[in-house]
Amino acid sequence: MSLKTDNFSHIPLADRVRPQTSDQFVGQEHLIGKDKPLRLMIEKGQIFSLIFWGPPGSGKTTLARIIAQATNSNFAEHSATASGVAQVRQVVAEARERLKGYAQKTILFIDEIHRFSKAQQDAFLPHVENGTITLIGATTENPSFEVIPPLLSRCRVLVLKPLTEEHLRQIITQALDDQPNGLGKLKKTLSEEAFDFLIKQAAGDARIALNALEVAATLISQKKTITLSDIEEAYQHKALLYDKGGEEHYNTISSYLKSMRASNIDAALYYLARMVEAGEDPLFIARRMVIFASEDIGMAQPTALVVANDVFRACEIIGYPECQLNLAHGTVYLAGCKKDRSSTNAFGEAMADVKQFGNLPIPLHLRNAPTKLMKDLGYAKDYKWSKDYVGPTTDKSLLPEELRGRKYYKKH
């Protein structure tokens, strides 16, 4: 369980200073404080399957590890973006043997559990029900929408709050002072303005703050005081963030679509890989592919929409990590197709006329005529229905009079 070691320069600071006990944990007082539900569970050794719902860097993984250590449980940690049902089955098989042979419980921790498909989540149910494993899932998404009801009903949902500035200040101070695991041996200090900036930029995420602090401490190896400019430089050097609601999210999906539009398969695959690696929702990517198939390929290859829809369906059924292959398959196909925006452009022109002219009177011969009065008024006049022909009996315009002769669709 412990990450402590004499040689851990390769381990990020955020992992090195990760709390090992509930007393060391900072934040989430409503869960881990005295007489609060999670602390009582730990103290009584009665741990139920749980779903931790909270923002990044709020302590979901740390709490799961603390629970396992405090209850002397085997801890199996997996990410839904990198593991599949096969890995879970292996954990279950080992948990069954450990429970039988050593009477030791296994906590299966699934990070980003919302990334698992419904079929994959179904695989947990019997083993959670019979007590073979205790499941702890972590999610940044509302579990009401992302976790299947049968599994949700067997878990207790605990909501984690973003860390406050005071929480972050305490965590950073501890990391600076911690000699065996943190930066204590370097004897670095933070200027007050650097401290404030570091905290504000982290936006409640302890991992972001600690990563930037570690980069800054490395960059100023010869200095003792970390200044505001050092922290600003550190934030520029840290690993690129991929916030699903942030600018980089939209930049990446835009680059992906533009690469496919340019028929550059290699560039499209690269930006797809960046999104997959960052844990982007596969259905978000597949949804854009479905739109792209009609918007940019259109009549040049009408079956592109069929392929894109099948990719979406595959992602919906299979989920990560396997569905990344379906995304790659679809990306190569769509990027390689000829492009034709004629149907998209035609609809845009028709929409522009609707906005400009409003609800123009529909020609009488196109109107529905369910009553005699309507027929007498000329509704459906000169419109023929037969087994051989359906349509106007004369060369009448099917558009409103003001738009007679308008041509929207120009076939390429």
Side-chain angles (χ1 to χ4, degrees), residues 49 88 92 118-133 135 147-155:
S49 288
V88 172
V92 170
K118 293 180 179 180
Q120 288 172 311
Q121 291 181 36
D122 272 330
F124 297 131
L125 277 176
H127 312 297
V128 171
E129 284 182 331
N130 63 26
T132 302
I133 59 170
L135 174 67
V147 179
I148 59 173
L151 185 58
L152 195 61
S153 68
R154 290 161 176 80
C155 298

Side-chain angles (χ1 to χ4, degrees), residues 291-346:
I291 297 169
F292 182 89
S294 289
E295 181 179 11
D296 291 282
I297 297 174
M299 299 305 296
Q301 185 67 51
T303 54
L305 181 59
V306 177
V307 173
N309 267 304
D310 282 345
V311 171
F312 183 92
R313 181 61 177 153
C315 291
E316 193 174 42
I317 295 173
I318 298 172
Y320 277 141
E322 292 88 349
C323 77
Q324 62 189 359
L325 301 178
N326 305 117
L327 291 170
H329 178 182
T331 296
V332 171
Y333 177 83
L334 296 179
C337 284
K338 292 182 178 180
K339 309 302 188 291
D340 180 357
R341 293 178 59 89
S342 56
S343 58
T344 298
N345 296 337

Side-chain angles (χ1 to χ4, degrees), residues 74 76 88-108 127 130-134:
N74 177 54
V88 172
R89 285 174 178 160
Q90 179 65 29
V91 170
V92 170
E94 293 173 358
R96 188 178 294 112
E97 291 301 315
R98 184 172 279 106
L99 190 61
K100 181 180 179 181
Y102 305 101
Q104 184 186 31
K105 296 180 179 179
T106 293
I107 289 178
L108 173 58
H127 312 297
N130 63 26
T132 302
I133 59 170
T134 299

